[in-house]
């Protein structure tokens, strides 16, 4: 699937190189392979035709990714070095370009964030993780926490947090125990938009922290123009 998406992106670039989405993607190229965290200015966020987000993967420097592809409920974000994150309602469902890519995720329609009401919910599914295992059993429980504050671009947002407790059992007949962690998703209390998430996809991976800069910038600007 990711090879098809990546090929489509480059084909689209050749056919319509001046499109706003492709321009936003190519504008991120200069942000690759730097030695310090990458940032973008408020004006860049306002003028970008594609949404941008800041991504921290493990101990690596922060990079900027652009929203490059939307198909139904799936959004695919691309980095300057061609890494891809595919998400549904903010939950990473496939990756390309990582050491241990998530290449399959079952039962996507049961994602609790399609209707984040805050009630405790369970979501069990199977995943395939490249270089780690296939048909891996994952059990999760979701719970909304109390309201809190989140600072993005020096602005303090009132947010609520949804926590996903993950039990990663591996694949039969070699089920593993004790592999548990918590993924976190922060939502703006007024708009309901996801502003940040922290997700570990498997025991073989590293924590991925995503901050949705364009969304945050729009919310800040909207608040500033209101009387």
């Amino acid at each position: 699937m990711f090879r098809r998406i990546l090929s489509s992106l480059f084909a689209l670039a050749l056919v319509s190189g001046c499109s706003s989405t492709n321009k936003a993607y190519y504008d991120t190229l200069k942000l690759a392979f730097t030695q310090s965290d990458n940032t973008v200015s408020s004006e860049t966020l306002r003028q970008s035709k594609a949404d941008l987000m800041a991504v921290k993967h493990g101990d690596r420097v922060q990079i900027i990714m652009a929203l490059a592809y939307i198909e139904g409920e799936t959004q695919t974000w691309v980095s300057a070095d061609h890494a891809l994150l595919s998400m549904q309602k903010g939950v990473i469902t496939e990756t390309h370009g990582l050491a241990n890519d998530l290449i399959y995720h079952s039962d996507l329609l049961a994602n609790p964030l399609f209707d984040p009401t805050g009630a405790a919910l369970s979501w069990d599914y199977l995943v395939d993780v490249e270089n780690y295992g296939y048909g891996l059993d994952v059990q999760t429980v979701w719970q909304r926490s109390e309201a809190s504050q989140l600072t993005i671009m020096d602005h303090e947002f009132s947010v609520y947090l949804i926590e996903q407790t993950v039990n990663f059992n591996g694949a039969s007949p070699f089920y593993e125990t004790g592999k548990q962690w918590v993924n976190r998703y922060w939502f703006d209390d007024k708009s309901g938009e996801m502003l940040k998430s922290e997700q570990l996809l498997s025991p073989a991976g590293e924590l991925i922290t995503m901050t949705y800069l364009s969304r945050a910038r729009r919310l800040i600007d909207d608040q500033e123009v209101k009387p």
Side-chain angles (χ1 to χ4, degrees):
M1 176 180 179
F2 272 109
R3 290 188 179 92
R4 183 174 71 250
I5 292 174
L6 190 57
S7 298
S8 298
L9 285 172
F10 284 116
L12 181 59
L14 292 173
V15 174
S16 56
C18 62
S19 72
S20 58
T21 299
N22 284 308
K23 185 178 186 303
Y25 164 60
Y26 285 114
D27 282 348
T28 68
L29 289 175
K30 61 181 180 292
L31 300 175
F33 311 119
T34 60
Q35 300 302 311
S36 59
D37 286 350
N38 294 289
T39 59
V40 289
S41 67
S42 293
E43 194 57 32
T44 297
L45 291 171
R46 292 187 183 102
Q47 294 188 10
S48 175
K49 301 302 182 182
D51 273 15
L52 304 178
M53 71 175 176
V55 179
K56 187 85 170 176
H57 181 212
D59 294 328
R60 298 165 184 80
V61 298
Q62 176 177 283
I63 63 171
I64 304 299
M65 300 188 75
L67 178 58
Y69 193 88
I70 301 175
E71 183 177 15
E73 296 291 344
T74 301
Q75 294 186 340
T76 297
W77 299 73
V78 61
S79 72
D81 57 351
H82 304 161
L84 298 176
L85 298 179
S86 184
M87 292 184 276
Q88 288 196 2
K89 296 299 180 182
V91 177
I92 299 174
T93 56
E94 289 187 65
T95 69
H96 176 87
L98 307 184
N100 300 95
D101 277 319
L102 177 62
I103 57 178
Y104 172 73
H105 192 306
S106 74
D107 204 17
L108 296 179
L109 294 180
N111 179 353
L113 295 188
F114 277 104
D115 183 22
T117 60
L121 297 171
S122 63
W123 182 24
D124 301 338
Y125 48 85
L126 302 176
V127 296
D128 294 344
V129 180
E130 196 170 33
N131 303 318
Y132 184 76
Y134 300 87
L136 305 174
D137 180 55
V138 184
Q139 300 172 350
T140 70
V141 175
W142 299 67
Q143 181 66 54
R144 176 168 170 166
S145 299
E146 295 182 359
S148 61
Q149 302 294 311
L150 176 67
T151 301
I152 301 176
M153 294 181 290
D154 298 323
H155 183 87
E156 196 169 79
F157 291 89
S158 295
V159 297
Y160 62 89
L161 171 65
I162 291 183
E163 295 184 316
Q164 173 196 17
T165 301
V166 180
N167 284 284
F168 200 97
N169 298 317
S172 63
F174 307 108
Y175 283 103
E176 302 173 275
T177 59
K179 296 186 182 299
Q180 184 182 91
W181 63 86
V182 177
N183 293 335
R184 296 178 173 87
Y185 308 84
W186 287 265
F187 294 82
D188 178 62
D189 193 43
K190 294 181 179 179
S191 68
E193 288 201 69
M194 185 183 297
L195 293 176
K196 182 179 178 179
S197 75
E198 296 177 348
Q199 301 177 53
L200 179 64
L201 306 183
S202 78
E206 298 176 272
L207 187 68
I208 300 175
T209 301
M210 294 166 287
T211 304
Y212 294 89
L213 300 176
S214 293
R215 295 179 190 174
R217 186 70 260 168
R218 286 193 294 268
L219 291 174
I220 295 171
D221 289 346
D222 288 345
Q223 182 176 339
E224 290 176 349
V225 299
K226 291 180 179 178

